[in-house]
Amino acid sequence: MVKSYNSLNEIKSELAIGEITVEKLVKGYLDKIALNAHLNAFNEVFDQEALICAKKVDVRIKQGTAGKLAGMVIAIKDNICYKGHKVSASSKILKDFTSIYSSTVVERILAEDAVIIGRCNCDEFGMGAANENSYFGPVKNYADVTRVSGGSSGGSAVAVQAGMCLAALGTDTGGSVRQPASFCGLIGLKPTYGRISRHGIIAYASSFDQVGPITKSIEDAALLLEVMAGPDEYDGTLANIKVPAYSEHIKPSSTKKIAYIQESLSSPGVDKEIKNTLAAYIDKLRSDGHVVKPIAFEHLDYLVPAYYILAMAEASSNLSRYDGVHYGYRSPSASDLQSTYKRSRSEGFGKEVKRRIMLGAFVLSAGYYDAYYAKAQKVRRLIKDKTEEIFKEYDFILVPTAPEPAFAIGKNEKDPVVTYLSDIFTVQASLTGAPAISLPCGNNNKGLPLGLQLIARHFEEQELLNFSKYFLKL
Ligand code: GLN
């Protein structure tokens, strides 16, 4: 059985002395995946192919020509295209669809000799925060199998949590990398909007979607970021800003100014142990000489409504391409064009996805557009302006990642609004495009992981990673 590695550096030092090979490593991870099949983290394991790929990497290591990610065994969320492999976004409507090209992120990690071990379960089209909206069923938390993994990149998080791979890629539209990372005791990084290409990512809400790594070490998050980031002719939203070698510049942070949102310590909606953890970190930061101050964020109540109106509007537009004609599922009982559309979509999409398409179409419809969509855009601008104002004075914003730790499977199923509200602390970075990271901060008295989140200025990932490295040692 593969031992539990915490970073690629650990693996690399064992590879260097011949203690292990990448092939042996992959075999070990495949055993772990088989042992943990009940967690439902993978929609498909690329077992044979991963072994072939591992052997090739071993040869390149011997020849001294291996890339930066040699030895990294990684899982990808099932909404990231990988040429010749199925990709479903955990939806029936794409169940047997095969990617005809690879996403830029997949091309870039493969070019640096990562081994992709499989595609991970997620909420259908990334819509959810518990991985309970997957056509393939919920993912179970390794810390307590009666509890959710978080979502939407729940399979990616549990794959890393249970040691079924070293790292995983997720996507984060409103928190889907950060929140499952916090539920599983891991590091989850959402980079600045415009840092990593979305070419070949199945779109949910295009003005928010980002790819991000889920890892056990800051160094691995930094390395994956530097490999994946930077301009790509297939994604026009990318900023032409130089990509630093993040992993080579992780250094101790100087004294910082940190703001925390007052309500996160006072609101009855935030779990007590999370509040205590936040308060304890604030004390530790202060005693280390940092300036840590409470701020009032008067737009707090508008974060979730603005995010959901905009995300649903964009989703209704993005998902109109699944019509039973071009690709994916087509209803066997369809008889003409109208019934092909209607039946394929009715049978192919899950309940939550249908709800969002309908609400999204509603907020965009003539007569309601100004009251909902246009209004939400204005609120987004106010939130962005206010956040920028905070960053004029402070280096980071510190908030919980989620208001509560992993909850019981089925608990919030009946009321989607409860689940929507749990995104309150993650959507600020999504609405503003700022980079944010969820960091593991111990467990509660039931042994469930707790996470805190740091948000930084646009494109200040290096500072965010440096400070995170220090923060984890507090
Ligand atoms: N929970 C949020 C939603 O359902 C975020 C999901 C995500 O980031 N993909 O929209």
Side-chain angles (χ1 to χ4, degrees):
M1 194 60 63
V2 68
K3 82 179 206 209
S4 186
Y5 294 98
N6 288 319
S7 70
L8 182 59
N9 284 338
E10 270 178 30
I11 290 175
K12 278 190 170 161
S13 57
E14 293 196 5
L15 283 168
I17 53 167
E19 178 97 8
I20 48 162
T21 61
V22 183
E23 189 188 359
K24 270 195 206 148
L25 200 59
V26 169
K27 278 189 183 148
Y29 283 128
L30 289 173
D31 289 344
K32 275 259 177 86
I33 292 174
L35 197 70
N36 288 302
H38 61 286
L39 299 176
N40 203 21
F42 282 86
N43 285 345
E44 186 183 351
V45 181
F46 306 142
D47 42 5
Q48 293 311 315
E49 191 189 345
L51 285 169
I52 293 168
C53 183
K55 278 188 204 162
K56 289 184 187 159
V57 177
D58 279 326
V59 171
R60 282 197 283 276
I61 291 175
K62 269 210 187 100
Q63 292 169 339
T65 57
K68 285 182 188 177
L69 298 180
M72 183 174 277
V73 179
I74 191 163
I76 56 174
K77 185 176 182 179
D78 194 12
N79 63 352
I80 300 178
C81 293
Y82 182 7
K83 189 177 175 176
H85 297 74
K86 285 185 181 167
V87 61
S88 76
S90 288
S91 180
K92 181 178 174 186
I93 213 155
L94 279 174
K95 202 169 141 246
D96 292 314
F97 178 74
T98 299
S99 300
I100 52 173
Y101 58 85
S102 282
S103 52
T104 299
V105 290
V106 160
E107 278 180 358
R108 290 188 180 170
I109 61 169
L110 288 177
E112 292 294 343
D113 287 328
V115 173
I116 300 179
I117 199 157
R119 56 185 172 103
C120 286
N121 199 346
C122 57
D123 281 301
E124 187 176 356
F125 288 100
M127 298 179 190
N131 217 119
E132 292 180 288
N133 298 332
S134 165
Y135 177 64
F136 303 106
V139 177
K140 293 169 182 158
N141 197 307
Y142 186 56
D144 176 348
V145 293
T146 67
R147 289 176 187 263
V148 301
S149 55
S152 64
S153 314
S156 299
V158 169
V160 180
Q161 181 194 26
M164 300 190 265
C165 53
L166 179 68
L169 297 187
T171 59
D172 190 311
T173 303
S176 280
V177 160
R178 291 162 283 157
Q179 187 257 25
S182 86
F183 279 17
C184 296
L186 301 165
I187 296 163
L189 171 68
K190 180 197 88 75
T192 312
Y193 187 81
R195 185 74 293 192
I196 293 184
S197 169
R198 290 96 44 84
H199 172 64
I201 308 301
I202 295 182
Y204 162 15
S206 306
S207 77
F208 301 89
D209 296 342
Q210 279 299 296
V211 177
I214 297 178
T215 61
K216 285 186 181 163
S217 75
I218 292 295
E219 286 76 6
D220 288 354
L223 189 59
L224 281 165
L225 178 65
E226 83 190 43
V227 167
M228 295 191 291
D232 171 21
E233 59 176 322
Y234 297 112
D235 183 347
T237 63
L238 290 169
N240 204 356
I241 294 177
K242 201 176 166 291
V243 180
Y246 298 106
S247 64
E248 288 164 30
H249 297 110
I250 296 174
K251 54 171 199 278
S253 275
S254 52
T255 309
K256 299 287 181 201
K257 285 187 83 178
I258 300 146
Y260 66 90
I261 296 177
Q262 225 160 13
E263 284 88 341
S264 58
L265 274 188
S266 60
S267 164
V270 181
D271 172 86
K272 216 171 136 233
E273 284 183 81
I274 292 183
K275 282 187 205 159
N276 291 345
T277 305
L278 178 60
Y281 273 85
I282 290 171
D283 284 348
K284 287 192 246 182
L285 288 167
R286 280 186 182 140
S287 62
D288 251 10
H290 303 280
V291 176
V292 190
K293 285 196 181 150
I295 50 156
F297 192 75
E298 61 266 35
H299 305 311
L300 195 66
D301 288 345
Y302 301 105
L303 289 170
V304 169
Y307 166 76
Y308 273 95
I309 288 172
L310 296 170
M312 288 182 190
E314 293 182 27
S316 78
S317 162
N318 272 327
L319 271 59
S320 63
R321 71 191 69 170
Y322 307 103
D323 56 8
V325 176
H326 292 96
Y327 35 66
Y329 175 79
R330 178 178 299 170
S331 170
S333 59
S335 53
D336 57 9
L337 188 64
Q338 279 296 327
S339 67
T340 302
Y341 288 161
K342 279 192 187 163
R343 293 192 183 189
S344 304
R345 292 165 68 84
S346 301
E347 294 161 22
F349 286 132
K351 197 168 145 199
E352 180 62 24
V353 173
K354 282 183 204 159
R355 178 174 13 241
R356 295 191 188 198
I357 293 173
M358 286 192 281
L359 283 169
F362 172 76
V363 300
L364 287 172
S365 59
Y368 293 101
Y369 183 95
D370 285 338
Y372 293 101
Y373 183 74
K375 188 65 146 270
Q377 291 280 36
K378 289 179 190 160
V379 173
R380 184 179 198 175
R381 163 58 62 185
L382 290 176
I383 290 167
K384 196 161 191 295
D385 289 349
K386 172 71 189 174
T387 305
E388 270 163 22
E389 210 179 284
I390 298 170
F391 282 130
K392 279 196 190 123
E393 199 180 334
Y394 297 93
D395 300 298
F396 302 111
I397 300 173
L398 173 65
V399 276
T401 307
E404 59 173 344
F407 45 86
I409 293 174
K411 178 177 163 246
N412 295 339
E413 230 166 21
K414 287 209 177 65
D415 189 355
V417 177
V418 174
T419 311
Y420 299 168
L421 286 172
S422 71
D423 295 336
I424 183 147
F425 297 122
T426 46
V427 294
Q428 184 182 1
S430 310
L431 283 159
T432 59
I437 195 164
S438 178
L439 299 168
C441 296
N443 296 337
N444 71 3
N445 63 7
K446 293 196 180 95
L448 298 171
L450 303 174
L452 294 177
Q453 183 187 199
L454 288 164
I455 309 173
R457 296 186 192 102
H458 282 221
F459 296 102
E460 293 202 348
E461 278 86 354
Q462 187 74 63
E463 288 71 14
L464 186 60
L465 290 162
N466 290 353
F467 195 71
S468 298
K469 175 85 188 165
Y470 150 82
F471 193 92
L472 287 175
K473 287 196 191 131
L474 279 175

